[in-house]
Amino acid sequence: GLQKGETLFYEIVGFNDKGTSIMPSHTSDPKEHKEFHSKYPEARHQYKYGCDVNSESGLGGKFQIYVYRISFQDQDLNTHDLTWAQTVKRCDELGLKTVPLLAGPLVLNETFQKEDLLKLANKLSDGPSTLDTSHTREGVVVIAESSTVQRGFKQKGWLFRSLENLIKDNEEYIDPEEV
């Protein structure tokens, strides 16, 4: 189980108990979004992440949990993040998965600057999901580590943001990440 002061940060993907995808589906017009529909021909873009709506089992079936950060709060209420290697090890101990590693580790230096990291994050955040190629990737998590700090940053893909903005324009839409 979890240790005292331990906090896991993660994404849950797949389907809820009612069979609805956790990440709401996107619907778009093939005439207006020709480039998107050339890659993903279905008008309804459902985020399955390799999960099966008909599965009875949560782990490996109906939904999956992917950890991207673990922190500990000490007795003085100071929060310390685990390094990525420590996060992977701790997830192995807990029987959990981490988000897929798409690149890295990378070192910022004279030849690889912050701008290069942003370009790489933008490039890696678009394209088909690495877990299920039937839908687009939502984005990536960039984990920055140094001797004194470890932080995770999310970068949503351009295509995903475009689709998300289509549904956010609907006044009845409630974003599950903002609830």
Side-chain angles (χ1 to χ4, degrees), residues 7-110:
T7 303
L8 276 65
F9 298 82
Y10 52 86
E11 295 288 333
I12 302 174
V13 299
F15 301 92
N16 64 21
D17 290 343
K18 295 177 183 173
T20 305
S21 59
I22 293 168
M23 177 62 221
S25 298
H26 290 132
T27 303
S28 62
D29 184 350
K31 293 175 185 170
E32 290 182 38
H33 305 96
K34 291 177 185 173
E35 182 181 341
F36 174 77
H37 284 279
S38 69
K39 295 175 186 173
Y40 307 100
E42 298 293 323
R44 183 170 169 252
H45 197 67
Q46 187 175 43
Y47 297 89
K48 301 178 289 195
Y49 292 97
C51 297
D52 183 358
V53 69
N54 297 313
S55 175
E56 295 298 320
S57 162
L59 297 176
K62 189 172 264 193
F63 65 90
Q64 289 288 321
I65 295 171
Y66 291 94
V67 177
Y68 61 87
R69 176 182 167 209
I70 299 178
S71 69
F72 279 93
Q73 191 172 55
D74 65 23
Q75 61 193 17
D76 296 325
L77 303 180
N78 297 309
T79 301
H80 308 278
D81 284 2
L82 296 184
T83 65
W84 180 248
Q86 292 169 326
T87 298
V88 170
K89 182 177 185 240
R90 183 67 179 128
C91 284
D92 286 344
E93 293 168 1
L94 294 169
L96 297 172
K97 296 178 181 182
T98 61
V99 293
L101 187 61
L102 302 180
L106 303 167
V107 177
L108 295 181
N109 56 32
E110 305 81 41

